[in-house]
Amino acid sequence: MASFLRGRQAGMQNDLSANILPGSFVPDDRARYGINSQISCIAYEPVQSLLAIGTNESKFGSGRIYVYGQIRVQKLLVPTRSTSFVDVQFCANRLVSLDIKNEVMIWDLDTGKRITSFRAPGIVASMLTDPMLDWCFLGMQSGEICAYDLDRERISSFRLPNFWSEKDPKARAVALVSMQLHPRDIGKLLIAYTHGVAVYSFKQNVPNRFFEYEVPPGAPGGSCQVVESMRKPKVTHALWHPTGTFVLTAHDDGSLVFWDAKDGRVVMARTLYDINIDQPVPNPGASSPKHPYVRIAWCCKQNPEDSGLLIAGGQKFDEPSNGLTFIDLGVTPNYATSSWQVLSDYLKGKRQNTLETPIGVEVANFFLVPRLSPHFAGAQDPIAVMALLSSGEISTLSFPSGYPISPTNQLHPSVSFAHPFATKFAVTTLDRGRWLGMVENRSQGEPLLKGGAEAPRPRRRFEGRTIIQVAHADSTVRIWDVGHGDEIENPSQLQVDVARALDRYEDVNVTAMTLAPATGEFAVGTSRGEVIIYRWGGNQYFGKTQAQHIDPNPGGITDISTRTEPSLKSGLQPLSLYEMMQGPVSAMRASDAGFIAVGSENGFISIIDLRGPSVMFQASMTQFVKQEKRSSFFKSRSSVSASKEWPVVVEFGVMTLDEDKYSSICCFVGTNLGKVITFKVLPSGGGYNATLAGVAHLNDRVVSICPIVADSGKPALATGHAVAGLREGKHVNGLLVVVTQSEVRIFKPATAKGASKSFDDYLCDAAAVTEFELHGMALVGVFGDRVARAFSLPGLKEIGSAPLSMMDGSRGSSSVVTEDGEVFCWTGPSELAILQVWGTGKEMGNTADKLINPELEIPPRPTISNVQWISGTQYVSPMDLDLLIGGPDRPASKRMISAAAAMERNAQAGPSSPGYSGTGSQEGWGEYLTRQLNERTEKLNIMNDSLDSAADTSQRWADDVSKYVNQQKRNIILGGITSKFS
């Protein structure tokens, strides 16, 4: 009976929700976009071209690992228990992670499942893997090192003690800092302790070199303070030169010390500012405290001899810039033929520049993006560097120039939520045909992520696309298709730069956005009352930087088409700037009929006609305040409410108002005090004007205004088709479904009472009239108790409810409900959840995307040169290392088995086949290693025999010459004697 009465009161004859059963409201948890918590670590794999991001545990959820490939390829790795990830590393098509609880996990990248895990026997200070090894080295805080067999999934008996404690038993609190394998000789391990550095030889099973930095009395050191005593600054970092010629150690006093890797002498000690800081000076400068070194990478070009240092930290405290420092060292001198001075001059560097990061935050870490090679500690020929900021955001810079790289169409949309943080979003259902044509043409470098392949998804071509507009802290807005769990035909992103359009790069905060559903016109409102209007088109200033000054025009509209981005050839171009200047823009709506309505927090409403463009209407909310008269014995005059009122929701529609005999374009404005103001937009001369049609009064803040057709419940929006029907005299019998925080009302505008229902126990944050395909229409709302509810139309009876446990309750008012039943809500500072309320209760699963291309092979690891090998350097291959670490009882690894199988196939193919080795087809991996050792010994013996043979030949030649000379002397003497007798 209540449903019948509400239908009669609202003027709606049909039950639009009759075919929707109570069990139909079962939301599907369809997708997540963004990063769930603070980013803690990043890894890049250049062979497969994949990016992994690990996060910390927080109140918004457990730490996770996100792996991204090209376009929309992604995989989510979720641990079985809550934890925070400390490090992630790619290793031979696997992902190895270390968490804060010292648990190491190995992940299958294609399935997204954990292969195995183990708890380290202590607190892990450093984890080391190599793409050519099946071993994961774990350096404990105590200084001990153990190895885990990634192939056989078991801990090895291999153990290394704290070598520095053995060297100096008197040293106290010697902790391990870092580890790094020699870039060319895999048989050497650089181990950094707090007190010094050791080079361990796997072949000899002993440390064969120690480095200990001492600042003599009278030397400034890194702190630039002269102290008349010996100092030993603690080590914070240690790394190899790309060719292993030098060793670099960084210290807690700001020193950078370069060592000769062969004899252990100091070649150069310096800071970012001074050189030769380990030498006593008579008149030192003022001391200057510096930031500690956060991370250091010794980068190199394709030629590893051409290198440079990328450093985070080390700057003086009083410097305004706190970005990354790059010291270009140039080509390494020939060690064998260069003097000590030449080597020292090389380490001074050719040039030094700073890679700027956002002001006000420090660099917490950085991660290089190599072009092709995973070797040289992931620092060979990098094209970009990703800086992780102390705020948890990411900043990507080109290398070595340091220009900012936008993540638009370079990285997965989820990464952009922290690049920098997303601040606001809006959602529009855009015409599919229009969206397919909106592919921007922008000049940008090669894609950073090219790996992976998307899994096939179902096609749902004939519907609107759900387009999200996300505003970021750097005043950029990115626009892209979130999809419906289907194939996304146009996965590209659009970008607009609001700061450039305003020609102001400070105090630019986006407060409102709107996208026209069919025309694609876009508008952005700011906190200073500006409205920027964008329209799709080409850029006549492409490749040019226009510096044209535009005078302020408060209250008017200014042409800003010259403020286009020089790199954008075609896309959303700035068209006009409306300087409303009446406080922050609080509400906006763009209509396909060519109008944009704008509301501001100072209580003004403006309607812009885009045909000019021109401001066709502007008014203050104070003009529509209803004066309520109160009678009293002491006071008989009326009083006006002093509460401030401003627009919070704006919508356009086409319908017949009250007793009108015709339909018209209407603009509905909802305020924070519960008023719904209706304007009629009518033709006037060569343009349009807006007149007040009436004001309806509701209880409190308006959340949603949905114009619908009374008979079907379909949206009665001001589309091009609906407006065209007005010329033919078509009537639209429309109603408004208005939702406030505490009630919902269905009425015929502008002033009818209609039917209503109150929410007694909860407040509504977002709502919309949605369509359940082939079943009917219903009102869906998101409420403050983190529950989504559906109500029938027009009866307003609750159909069903579902908890939104993933939603961040503090940001519930930012939630959005779309007309096709999708709910967008924040789950944390930088992650959105997308649910389809008319579902079957599906939990969010992992994607079926493929990350690994098995045809891509890891390039061979760089090795020592022939000269080094001949001179006596012991070469250790990965298989040798397997034998040295795993012992003789270790079963053959999958890598060995595959290598032996390849050799067997080559042997069976015959001598004519490439790679034929001439060995028997039954040769096992042990025999293979033995044969390799024998062949190497034979080659050495052959070389020794050749040298011995050359020496013997030379000796015989010298003997022959000596005999010939003696014979000639004898002949001369005998000849002289004979002549005397003749």
Side-chain angles (χ1 to χ4, degrees):
M1 179 60 70
S3 299
F4 174 75
L5 292 177
R6 286 196 175 107
R8 294 297 299 270
Q9 292 171 348
M12 187 180 296
Q13 306 302 321
N14 302 327
D15 186 353
L16 305 180
S17 308
N19 295 326
I20 301 179
L21 301 177
S24 301
F25 191 79
V26 186
D28 288 340
D29 194 352
R30 193 163 56 75
R32 295 282 192 281
Y33 283 101
I35 308 294
N36 75 318
S37 187
Q38 184 182 30
I39 297 174
S40 59
C41 50
I42 299 174
Y44 178 76
E45 212 291 314
V47 177
Q48 298 290 341
S49 191
L50 300 173
L51 179 71
I53 296 177
T55 65
N56 286 324
E57 180 184 6
S58 68
K59 65 179 183 179
F60 303 105
S62 170
R64 296 178 178 179
I65 300 175
Y66 301 83
V67 186
Y68 299 110
Q70 62 177 336
I71 313 176
R72 300 291 179 91
V73 175
Q74 67 170 331
K75 192 74 77 172
L76 180 63
L77 312 182
V78 182
T80 54
R81 58 185 178 84
S82 295
T83 188
S84 297
F85 288 100
V86 176
D87 193 10
V88 291
Q89 298 179 18
F90 288 96
C91 183
N93 297 341
R94 290 178 291 241
L95 188 73
V96 183
S97 66
L98 172 67
D99 69 10
I100 199 171
K101 300 174 182 176
N102 301 295
E103 184 175 2
V104 178
M105 306 179 199
I106 295 93
W107 303 86
D108 186 320
L109 289 174
D110 272 334
T111 62
K113 296 181 179 179
R114 189 182 63 175
I115 300 174
T116 186
S117 65
F118 72 97
R119 183 70 63 87
I123 300 175
V124 180
S126 176
M127 182 175 73
L128 175 65
T129 60
D130 188 276
M132 298 303 293
L133 296 181
D134 292 324
W135 300 97
C136 174
F137 298 97
L138 298 174
M140 306 300 160
Q141 198 175 62
S142 62
E144 297 179 350
I145 298 174
C146 65
Y148 182 81
D149 192 336
L150 298 173
D151 184 81
R152 293 298 156 186
E153 300 171 8
R154 65 183 186 183
I155 197 79
S156 169
S157 59
F158 178 82
R159 290 288 190 281
L160 294 180
N162 188 325
F163 291 120
W164 199 268
S165 294
E166 292 182 353
K167 172 184 175 293
D168 184 8
K170 295 182 179 180
R172 294 290 178 266
V174 179
L176 187 141
V177 175
S178 66
M179 302 180 294
Q180 185 179 355
L181 288 167
H182 193 290
R184 288 183 176 272
D185 185 0
I186 206 169
K188 291 182 180 179
L189 178 65
L190 185 70
I191 308 171
Y193 304 97
T194 52
H195 289 57
V197 177
V199 178
Y200 170 77
S201 171
F202 287 99
K203 193 75 171 179
Q204 299 173 1
N205 195 26
V206 292
N208 53 21
R209 187 70 63 193
F210 288 94
F211 305 95
E212 184 177 15
Y213 176 51
E214 296 178 347
V215 182
S223 61
C224 297
Q225 291 180 336
V226 174
V227 179
E228 296 303 325
S229 62
M230 180 73 71
R231 288 164 287 163
K232 296 181 179 180
K234 297 295 178 64
V235 177
T236 59
H237 300 80
L239 55 158
W240 291 101
H241 180 276
T243 61
T245 308
F246 304 102
V247 169
L248 169 66
T249 59
H251 299 264
D252 59 0
D253 69 338
S255 299
L256 295 172
V257 185
F258 298 88
W259 305 81
D260 186 326
K262 285 192 174 183
D263 59 16
R265 290 186 296 170
V266 175
V267 184
M268 163 77 76
R270 59 169 297 173
T271 65
L272 298 184
Y273 309 94
D274 306 302
I275 62 174
N276 299 324
I277 58 173
D278 60 335
Q279 299 176 8
V281 293
N283 298 312
S287 63
S288 53
K290 302 176 181 66
H291 292 278
Y293 292 112
V294 176
R295 186 176 178 189
I296 304 175
W298 205 322
C299 314
C300 63
K301 296 182 180 179
Q302 194 65 37
N303 173 18
E305 301 284 353
D306 193 351
S307 66
L309 289 170
L310 184 62
I311 303 170
Q315 294 98 342
K316 297 177 181 178
F317 282 137
D318 55 1
E319 282 197 355
S321 173
N322 57 351
L324 302 174
T325 304
F326 179 65
I327 304 175
D328 186 359
L329 299 175
V331 178
T332 309
N334 188 310
Y335 179 82
T337 60
S338 299
S339 66
W340 199 256
Q341 185 61 43
V342 170
L343 296 178
S344 179
D345 291 342
Y346 159 73
L347 296 171
K348 294 179 182 178
K350 296 195 304 182
R351 65 185 65 89
Q352 181 172 322
N353 64 289
T354 301
L355 283 65
E356 298 288 349
T357 54
I359 299 174
V361 291
E362 296 182 357
V363 176
N365 208 338
F366 68 80
F367 307 89
L368 293 166
V369 181
R371 195 181 304 273
L372 295 173
S373 171
H375 304 303
F376 297 99
Q380 185 180 24
D381 196 18
I383 58 175
V385 56
M386 301 184 74
L388 178 59
L389 307 179
S390 57
S391 62
E393 297 168 292
I394 300 173
S395 177
T396 305
L397 308 171
S398 63
F399 185 84
S401 57
Y403 293 115
I405 297 177
S406 170
T408 305
N409 296 321
Q410 283 280 6
L411 302 174
H412 192 282
S414 289
V415 181
S416 67
F417 274 74
H419 197 303
F421 284 140
T423 57
K424 189 175 184 62
F425 75 94
V427 182
T428 302
T429 301
L430 189 64
D431 176 71
R432 170 179 169 265
R434 185 74 183 107
W435 175 248
L436 290 181
M438 296 178 73
V439 179
E440 72 175 22
N441 185 353
R442 184 185 295 270
S443 299
Q444 59 183 13
E446 61 179 295
L448 298 180
L449 300 180
K450 295 172 280 190
E454 285 191 82
R457 290 178 173 82
R459 296 184 176 182
R460 297 174 61 186
R461 293 181 178 275
F462 302 101
E463 59 180 276
R465 305 305 302 174
T466 304
I467 308 302
I468 189 170
Q469 308 113 58
V470 184
H472 297 265
D474 61 351
S475 73
T476 58
V477 179
R478 297 185 179 96
I479 304 169
W480 38 280
D481 185 357
V482 299
H484 301 273
D486 58 350
E487 178 185 352
I488 299 177
E489 299 169 285
N490 176 14
S492 65
Q493 305 171 56
L494 309 180
Q495 174 181 302
V496 298
D497 189 343
V498 178
R500 183 175 182 84
L502 293 174
D503 196 24
R504 187 182 75 248
Y505 296 91
E506 295 181 357
D507 191 23
V508 181
N509 299 309
V510 175
T511 57
M513 296 173 288
T514 180
L515 180 68
T519 62
E521 289 165 326
F522 182 58
V524 178
T526 71
S527 59
R528 290 178 59 171
E530 299 132 328
V531 177
I532 306 99
I533 302 170
Y534 294 86
R535 181 174 288 170
W536 188 267
N539 182 7
Q540 59 180 328
Y541 303 106
F542 174 68
K544 304 174 184 177
T545 302
Q546 298 294 317
Q548 180 180 351
H549 175 72
I550 299 176
D551 294 327
N553 185 18
I557 295 180
T558 306
D559 182 4
I560 57 170
S561 58
T562 59
R563 293 178 178 174
T564 56
E565 299 179 56
S567 61
L568 183 62
K569 190 173 184 179
S570 62
L572 283 172
Q573 311 288 357
L575 175 68
S576 301
L577 171 63
Y578 172 43
E579 298 175 72
M580 191 175 185
M581 312 308 281
Q582 295 293 342
V585 174
S586 57
M588 294 178 67
R589 181 65 66 190
S591 166
D592 291 328
F595 304 105
I596 295 179
V598 183
S600 68
E601 288 191 10
N602 281 0
F604 282 81
I605 181 73
S606 297
I607 301 178
I608 301 172
D609 186 352
L610 294 178
R611 293 160 185 82
S614 61
V615 180
M616 54 174 280
F617 176 82
Q618 185 176 40
S620 171
M621 293 295 103
T622 57
Q623 301 176 24
F624 314 116
V625 173
K626 181 179 179 180
Q627 297 186 0
E628 299 176 355
K629 294 185 178 181
R630 297 178 183 177
S631 57
S632 165
F633 290 106
F634 307 101
K635 188 184 299 183
S636 61
R637 43 180 199 171
S638 65
S639 63
V640 180
S641 174
S643 299
K644 183 181 178 181
E645 188 170 22
W646 66 85
V648 291
V649 179
V650 184
E651 187 58 86
F652 285 95
V654 172
M655 62 180 64
T656 303
L657 300 179
D658 291 332
E659 303 301 326
D660 287 351
K661 304 299 183 182
Y662 58 90
S663 295
S664 57
I665 301 173
C666 304
C667 178
F668 308 103
V669 180
T671 72
N672 63 315
L673 298 182
K675 293 184 178 63
V676 178
I677 307 168
T678 303
F679 299 96
K680 285 196 291 188
V681 180
L682 300 172
S684 175
Y688 289 83
N689 63 10
T691 58
L692 177 66
V695 179
H697 295 265
L698 284 77
N699 288 344
D700 48 22
R701 183 187 182 93
V702 176
V703 171
S704 170
I705 299 176
C706 300
I708 63 171
V709 178
D711 297 333
S712 63
K714 298 285 186 179
L717 300 177
T719 63
H721 178 74
V723 173
L726 297 178
R727 299 191 183 96
E728 303 171 4
K730 291 184 178 180
H731 285 261
V732 178
N733 180 22
L735 298 173
L736 282 187
V737 180
V738 179
V739 182
T740 69
Q741 289 182 319
S742 60
E743 72 168 329
V744 54
R745 183 176 296 184
I746 307 173
F747 65 96
K748 189 175 184 64
T751 57
K753 294 292 184 182
S756 65
K757 175 185 175 66
S758 297
F759 309 129
D760 297 327
D761 302 324
Y762 35 77
L763 297 177
C764 184
D765 290 327
V769 174
T770 67
E771 180 178 5
F772 183 12
E773 193 173 6
L774 303 178
H775 288 77
M777 312 293 291
L779 177 68
V780 175
V782 175
F783 293 83
D785 56 353
R786 298 200 302 171
V787 174
R789 295 178 173 87
F791 300 91
S792 65
L793 293 175
L796 300 179
K797 178 182 178 182
E798 185 172 319
I799 298 173
S801 64
L804 302 176
S805 57
M806 76 294 293
M807 187 175 80
D808 180 5
S810 63
R811 304 179 74 178
S813 59
S814 301
S815 303
V816 172
V817 182
T818 67
E819 59 192 40
D820 56 357
E822 289 181 324
V823 172
F824 291 71
C825 62
W826 290 105
T827 65
S830 56
E831 186 184 48
L832 278 176
I834 304 175
L835 301 95
Q836 171 54 253
V837 298
W838 308 115
T840 57
K842 290 182 181 179
E843 296 291 333
M844 190 188 72
N846 219 335
T847 67
D849 298 341
K850 291 293 183 182
L851 297 180
I852 300 301
N853 181 359
E855 296 181 0
L856 296 176
E857 295 184 356
I858 300 173
R861 197 180 195 277
T863 61
I864 59 175
S865 65
N866 293 333
V867 174
Q868 290 175 304
W869 186 72
I870 292 172
S871 65
T873 303
Q874 294 180 327
Y875 168 66
V876 179
S877 69
M879 290 187 178
D880 294 337
L881 205 62
D882 288 344
L883 191 60
L884 292 170
I885 298 176
D889 298 329
R890 178 181 185 259
S893 67
K894 298 181 180 68
R895 195 194 301 267
M896 289 183 179
I897 294 173
S898 62
M903 293 175 60
E904 184 176 347
R905 287 194 300 269
N906 291 337
Q908 291 176 351
S912 61
S913 65
Y916 175 73
S917 61
T919 60
S921 61
Q922 301 301 319
E923 182 185 45
W925 70 274
E927 290 84 354
Y928 167 76
L929 290 178
T930 304
R931 181 174 57 79
Q932 291 290 322
L933 185 59
N934 292 336
E935 285 183 2
R936 183 171 183 267
T937 306
E938 283 179 18
K939 290 176 181 177
L940 284 172
N941 292 335
I942 290 171
M943 183 169 293
N944 290 334
D945 292 343
S946 300
L947 293 173
D948 292 342
S949 176
D952 292 342
T953 303
S954 299
Q955 185 62 42
R956 285 197 300 271
W957 179 80
D959 292 343
D960 291 341
V961 170
S962 179
K963 287 179 181 179
Y964 175 76
V965 171
N966 291 333
Q967 184 179 1
Q968 293 299 320
K969 288 180 179 179
R970 187 172 61 250
N971 290 340
I972 292 172
I973 294 172
L974 291 176
I977 295 173
T978 304
S979 62
K980 295 291 184 181
F981 288 98
S982 59

